[in-house]
Amino acid sequence: MPAPGLLPPAPSGPLSTGASVGRGPLEPWPDTVNWQPICTDLIWVELIRLGVVVAIGLAVTAVGWALSGHWLFGLAVAVVVLLGVWRAIAIVRAVRAWGYAERENDLLVRHGLLVRRLSIVPYSRMQFVDVSAGPLERAFDLATVQLHTAAAASDARVPGLRPAEASRLRDRLTALGEDRAEGL
C-alpha cells in the first residue's frame, strides 16, 4: 500500500458516481445482488412460438409466389427466413438476460438486451401475484409469476420458472406484501 499522500486524487465531476467510468445505471446489472436465472427451457417455448409465426409467414409468401411467380414473393420468403433466424438468435440471448432477485424490501426483475429494463417492485406496493402457464409452458413444465401493483406501468413478471419455484415465489411475495402493506 502506498504511503499516505501518495494515492492519486479521487475522481471528481459528473462521472464520479461511485461506479466505474463508462458504466450507466444498468451496465452491468447491479452486481451487489444475488441474481436468480430463469429456466433455459423457456428458449424452446419461445422458439416453437417463433416457428409457428415463421411457418405461417412462409406459407403465405410461398403460396403468393407459386400463384403469381413474381420475384417480390421470392424476396419476401428470403426476408421471412432471415428475420426468423435473427429472432431465434435474439430469443436465446434474451432468455438468458432474464433474472430476478429477492431483497429485504423489494423484488428486482431484469431483462432485455438492446433495451435493458430493471424493475424494482417494493413488497409493500404489491396488490396481488398471479401464476400462469399456457399450453406450451405446461408442456415444458414452466410457469410465469406476474406481480400487480397499483400503477400498471410498474407491473413485473418473471417467466420461465419451474412450477414449484413459481409457487414458492408467489407465496413468499404474498406473505411479504401482507406484512409490509402500507394501508392499501
Side-chain angles (χ1 to χ4, degrees):
M1 178 151 207
L6 296 179
L7 293 174
S12 62
L15 293 178
S16 63
T17 60
S20 298
V21 175
R23 289 186 175 174
L26 297 176
E27 184 62 43
W29 304 109
D31 54 1
T32 58
V33 175
N34 183 21
W35 291 105
Q36 301 296 318
I38 63 171
C39 183
T40 55
D41 285 348
L42 185 63
I43 293 171
W44 292 108
V45 171
E46 296 299 327
L47 288 176
I48 290 170
R49 288 179 182 154
L50 174 65
V52 169
V53 170
V54 168
I56 292 169
L58 285 176
V60 168
T61 54
V63 167
W65 194 15
L67 293 177
S68 72
H70 199 278
W71 65 272
L72 280 176
F73 283 105
L75 179 63
V77 167
V79 167
V80 168
V81 169
L82 286 175
L83 287 176
V85 169
W86 174 80
R87 182 65 185 135
I89 293 167
I91 283 172
V92 171
R93 294 191 63 217
V95 167
R96 291 188 176 142
W98 274 96
Y100 68 98
E102 301 170 64
R103 297 196 304 183
E104 185 178 335
N105 295 314
D106 50 28
L107 178 77
L108 294 122
V109 180
R110 70 175 187 187
H111 63 94
L113 294 171
L114 185 59
V115 177
R116 294 183 173 195
R117 183 170 183 151
L118 175 64
S119 299
I120 302 172
V121 183
Y123 299 133
S124 62
R125 298 293 181 200
M126 282 189 268
Q127 292 185 328
F128 65 98
V129 181
D130 273 338
V131 175
S132 62
L136 270 177
E137 288 175 313
R138 286 193 309 270
F140 284 89
D141 197 32
L142 298 174
T144 297
V145 173
Q146 177 79 39
L147 306 145
H148 298 277
T149 62
S154 66
D155 288 357
R157 70 184 182 99
V158 183
L161 297 176
R162 295 290 179 203
E165 173 63 8
S167 295
R168 183 205 65 79
L169 186 60
R170 178 201 59 213
D171 294 344
R172 182 170 190 278
L173 294 176
T174 302
L176 287 169
E178 289 173 357
D179 288 346
R180 293 184 170 93
E182 295 178 357
L184 292 178

